Amino acid sequence: MKVGSLGGGLLVCDIGAFSEWGGAVYDRDFELDPACDHARAWSALHPDDDDLEAASVRFGSDQEHAGLVWDTDGDGTAEIAYGRSPQAPAGDDDSFLIMRSWIPTGRTDAPRRYAARAVGEEQDAGRLTLRSGRAVVVGTAVNADETGSYATPQEREASIQALARLHPPVQLHLDDQRGLGTVLWVKPGTYRITCGWHDGARGRYMSEEEVNGPARTYADDDWSCRWVRFTWSGASTAVT
């Protein structure tokens, strides 16, 4: 499963909340409205004199919904994978991970193996309740209205809820861009969120020729990655 970020980060929220996400809003001069959800998400990630890996953001007409916004560090595509903690029963996926990596496609699975070993080294980034068991992972600039042709807010909400009844993962597309969101099945409840990364010396700066050149063995300094992990921590009836 993959999802594009459009450079502003990724939002993770319950599907019941996503229909209220306003994304990016621009004025006639194509200036971003600082009050729009996309701008507020960016401000949450980059408060004064600080930069965060991930941050919570409230949204909706009465700020009644909660989401997690994660910095993808520029335009790019992130992978999504399910996981299971050691104490979970076989077949009971109780975590999922979103990863952005800088490495020639298909050349090594080192980023995945690195993340699997780095659980105890991750930075805590809070909690998020996914009460419905359906999570949306989407570029923060995407407005829920852009995912379909909706005559009314009620029609938009009903259509998005219908996605939850399909067999996930289900990708979300805009008219001119594909793969900017994904609907996942997850274990209902509250999730602990942690972030991790590996900064190789050359990973983000490989030349186009090297990226697309012949396959070879890559050392740790030849690739970079960053990820956010969601680990189930218990059932919850909280509204999100």
Side-chain angles (χ1 to χ4, degrees), residues 44-108:
L45 283 173
H46 303 284
D48 293 341
D49 301 321
D50 201 1
D51 293 304
L52 304 178
E53 297 293 321
S56 295
V57 61
R58 304 292 306 187
F59 61 99
S61 57
D62 296 313
Q63 304 293 291
E64 68 271 31
H65 301 304
L68 184 283
V69 59
W70 175 61
D71 190 356
T72 55
D73 199 5
D75 291 341
T77 300
E79 298 178 273
I80 305 172
Y82 289 109
R84 177 167 55 89
S85 60
Q87 66 270 24
D92 185 9
D93 292 332
D94 62 356
S95 67
F96 62 99
L97 181 142
I98 308 169
M99 173 181 283
R100 166 95 189 270
S101 57
W102 290 264
I103 191 166
T105 303
R107 301 303 171 85
T108 178

Side-chain angles (χ1 to χ4, degrees), residues 26 34 39 43 70-71 85-86 100 103 112-114 125 127 136-137 139 148 165 180 182 204 214 226 238:
Y26 297 92
S43 295
W70 175 61
D71 190 356
S85 60
R100 166 95 189 270
I103 191 166
R112 298 176 183 178
R113 289 187 281 107
Y114 187 93
R127 302 287 186 274
V136 173
V137 182
R165 295 190 288 273
L180 293 180
T182 300
R204 304 188 192 195
R226 60 196 293 123

Side-chain angles (χ1 to χ4, degrees), residues 95-234:
S95 67
F96 62 99
L97 181 142
I98 308 169
M99 173 181 283
R100 166 95 189 270
S101 57
W102 290 264
I103 191 166
T105 303
R107 301 303 171 85
T108 178
D109 64 352
R112 298 176 183 178
R113 289 187 281 107
Y114 187 93
R117 298 193 304 266
V119 175
E121 304 168 10
E122 296 169 348
Q123 179 185 88
D124 188 78
R127 302 287 186 274
L128 180 66
T129 297
L130 300 171
R131 185 169 57 93
S132 73
R134 306 291 186 271
V136 173
V137 182
V138 66
T140 58
V142 175
N143 186 314
D145 274 334
E146 296 178 295
T147 61
S149 299
Y150 310 122
T152 65
Q154 293 76 19
E155 183 179 318
R156 176 192 63 210
E157 183 174 356
S159 180
I160 291 173
Q161 288 296 331
L163 292 175
R165 295 190 288 273
L166 300 177
H167 192 279
V170 178
Q171 283 203 300
L172 303 174
H173 307 299
L174 307 188
D175 289 341
D176 57 345
Q177 293 175 297
R178 302 182 64 81
L180 293 180
T182 300
V183 180
L184 308 173
W185 271 2
V186 298
K187 188 174 182 178
T190 298
Y191 284 77
R192 175 175 174 257
I193 305 163
T194 52
C195 297
W197 53 87
H198 169 76
D199 289 320
R202 300 191 311 116
R204 304 188 192 195
Y205 310 107
M206 284 186 180
S207 66
E208 197 69 24
E209 292 78 11
E210 188 174 0
V211 168
N212 297 306
R216 67 178 181 83
T217 300
Y218 287 88
D220 283 357
D221 280 350
D222 292 334
W223 55 269
S224 302
C225 67
R226 60 196 293 123
W227 68 88
V228 59
R229 189 190 311 269
F230 295 77
T231 304
W232 190 82
S233 60

